[in-house]
């Protein structure tokens, strides 16, 4: 006999249930939110981003789920809020669908965004997890994660677009990014879109040195940096999708962890 939801729920700054009603997850590193009177984990809610309006983007199979599990492990190591890598990958697709209709291309953008920080597997904990600011030597080592990630992903078959996103996700529109100082449209499309989403997610997530900023503050900063840090085209699409992205951020900010 199925246990009634009200018997599973308990109060802890909002309703917190013992497991996701969809997949049964009890992972304490995930975020959980009540949706239609049932608790769902962030992973299940993000799956909806892959299937908008009935258009399915297939990211399934043992290989795909293994990579998602790997990136979740890296998020845990870096003490990110919830499923940072998967969240930014799904949200990048929200922007990418404005410019790309080919499912194979969209899939590669998803994979690249999902694997963007895979190179951090090679960064020592004393640098990756340092609470204070990094010194110059530590920044030099931290920045190697981009090329490390590119080296890993570029060896996987048929992921040229994804590996280019991994290599270029720290580039800036004005050419002041790294590792190659690319300008404007020299930066791959997926990386240009991802940069906006990565910043949005970072600014609206709690950090050890500050609380999460509200969506409007993040929006203002992203618009201000259009043409310098971010592609103006990417920012325009971001503004066009403001309602959807605002809802996604609010979902993350209203979610809780299981005790």
């Amino acid at each position: 006999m199925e246990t009634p939801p009200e018997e599973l729920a308990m109060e802890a700054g909002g309703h917190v249930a013992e497991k996701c009603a969809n997949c049964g997850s009890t992972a304490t590193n995930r975020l959980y939110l009540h949706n239609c009177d049932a608790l769902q984990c962030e992973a299940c809610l993000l799956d909806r981003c892959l299937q908008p309006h009935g258009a399915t983007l297939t990211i399934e199979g043992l290989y795909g789920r293994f990579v998602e599990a790997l990136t979740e492990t890296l998020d845990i190591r870096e003490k990110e809020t919830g499923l940072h890598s998967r969240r930014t990958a799904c949200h990048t697709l929200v922007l990418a669908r404005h410019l790309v209709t080919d499912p194979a291309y969209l899939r590669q953008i998803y994979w690249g965004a999902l694997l963007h920080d895979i190179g951090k597997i090679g960064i020592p904990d004393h640098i990756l997890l340092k609470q204070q600011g990094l010194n110059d030597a530590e920044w030099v080592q931290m920045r190697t994660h981009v090329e490390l990630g590119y080296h890993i992903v570029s060896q996987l078959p048929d992921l040229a677009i994804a590996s280019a996103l991994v290599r270029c996700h720290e580039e800036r529109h004005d050419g002041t990014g790294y590792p190659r100082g690319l300008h404007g449209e020299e930066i791959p499309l997926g990386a240009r879109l991802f940069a906006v989403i990565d910043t949005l997610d970072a600014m609206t997530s709690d950090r050890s040195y500050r609380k999460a900023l509200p969506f409007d503050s993040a929006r203002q900063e992203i618009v201000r940096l259009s043409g310098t840090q971010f592609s103006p085209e990417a920012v325009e699409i971001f503004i066009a999708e403001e309602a959807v992205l605002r809802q996604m951020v609010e979902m993350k900010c209203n979610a809780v962890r299981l005790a």
Side-chain angles (χ1 to χ4, degrees):
M1 181 176 179
E2 188 174 354
T3 305
E6 60 270 16
E7 292 183 20
L8 291 175
M10 58 183 176
E11 294 291 334
H15 291 291
V16 184
E18 293 180 347
K19 64 181 180 180
C20 173
N22 187 47
C23 70
S25 172
T26 59
T28 56
N29 63 293
R30 292 187 181 183
L31 299 175
Y32 293 78
L33 189 73
H34 267 277
N35 185 53
C36 298
D37 297 324
L39 196 85
Q40 291 193 23
C41 71
E42 185 180 22
C44 291
L45 292 169
L46 288 173
D47 278 342
R48 296 182 178 183
C49 294
L50 301 180
Q51 301 176 7
H53 312 300
T56 300
L57 178 61
T58 304
I59 313 286
E60 296 184 357
L62 180 61
Y63 183 64
R65 293 308 181 190
F66 172 76
V67 172
E68 290 185 339
L70 174 61
T71 56
E72 183 174 346
T73 301
L74 289 172
D75 285 347
I76 294 170
R77 180 187 175 213
E78 201 174 354
K79 297 178 170 50
E80 285 285 1
T81 302
L83 305 178
H84 163 74
S85 296
R86 191 165 178 204
R87 187 166 59 233
T88 53
C90 288
H91 296 184
T92 298
L93 285 181
V94 173
L95 305 189
R97 287 187 174 106
H98 277 254
L99 301 172
V100 179
T101 58
D102 178 13
Y105 197 150
L106 287 171
R107 191 175 298 112
Q108 290 229 19
I109 289 176
Y110 176 85
W111 282 97
L114 184 69
L115 293 165
H116 71 279
D117 271 346
I118 194 70
K120 288 183 177 178
I121 197 169
I123 304 298
D125 282 352
H126 74 273
I127 295 176
L128 185 66
L129 305 180
K130 187 176 181 180
Q131 297 297 309
Q132 300 77 28
L134 302 181
N135 61 38
D136 289 345
E138 290 168 336
W139 265 120
V140 169
Q141 190 162 5
M142 176 65 85
R143 288 176 176 173
T144 65
H145 84 274
V146 173
E147 292 289 4
L148 286 171
Y150 173 72
H151 175 72
I152 293 169
V153 180
S154 64
Q155 297 183 71
L156 301 174
D158 302 318
L159 286 182
I161 294 172
S163 62
L165 191 159
V166 172
R167 191 180 196 184
C168 299
H169 76 273
E170 296 286 3
E171 299 285 1
R172 294 171 54 118
H173 182 76
D174 62 4
T176 61
Y178 65 92
R180 293 181 292 165
L182 301 181
H183 291 77
E185 293 189 5
E186 293 176 345
I187 304 168
L189 172 63
R192 281 179 266 147
L193 300 175
F194 172 80
V196 173
I197 293 298
D198 193 37
T199 297
L200 174 67
D201 194 67
M203 294 180 71
T204 56
S205 297
D206 286 334
R207 291 290 183 261
S208 60
Y209 51 88
R210 62 155 174 79
K211 297 294 290 181
L213 298 176
F215 181 91
D216 287 334
S217 297
R219 180 191 187 280
Q220 182 178 3
E221 184 67 2
I222 288 170
V223 171
R224 185 182 72 82
L225 293 172
S226 176
T228 53
Q229 183 170 341
F230 304 121
S231 157
E233 181 181 37
V235 174
E236 287 178 9
I237 299 172
F238 163 76
I239 293 172
E241 288 290 354
E242 177 180 343
V244 172
L245 295 172
R246 182 186 294 272
Q247 184 180 39
M248 290 178 168
V249 168
E250 289 175 353
M251 180 184 75
K252 174 188 69 173
C253 294
N254 290 331
V256 294
R257 294 183 186 275
L258 293 182

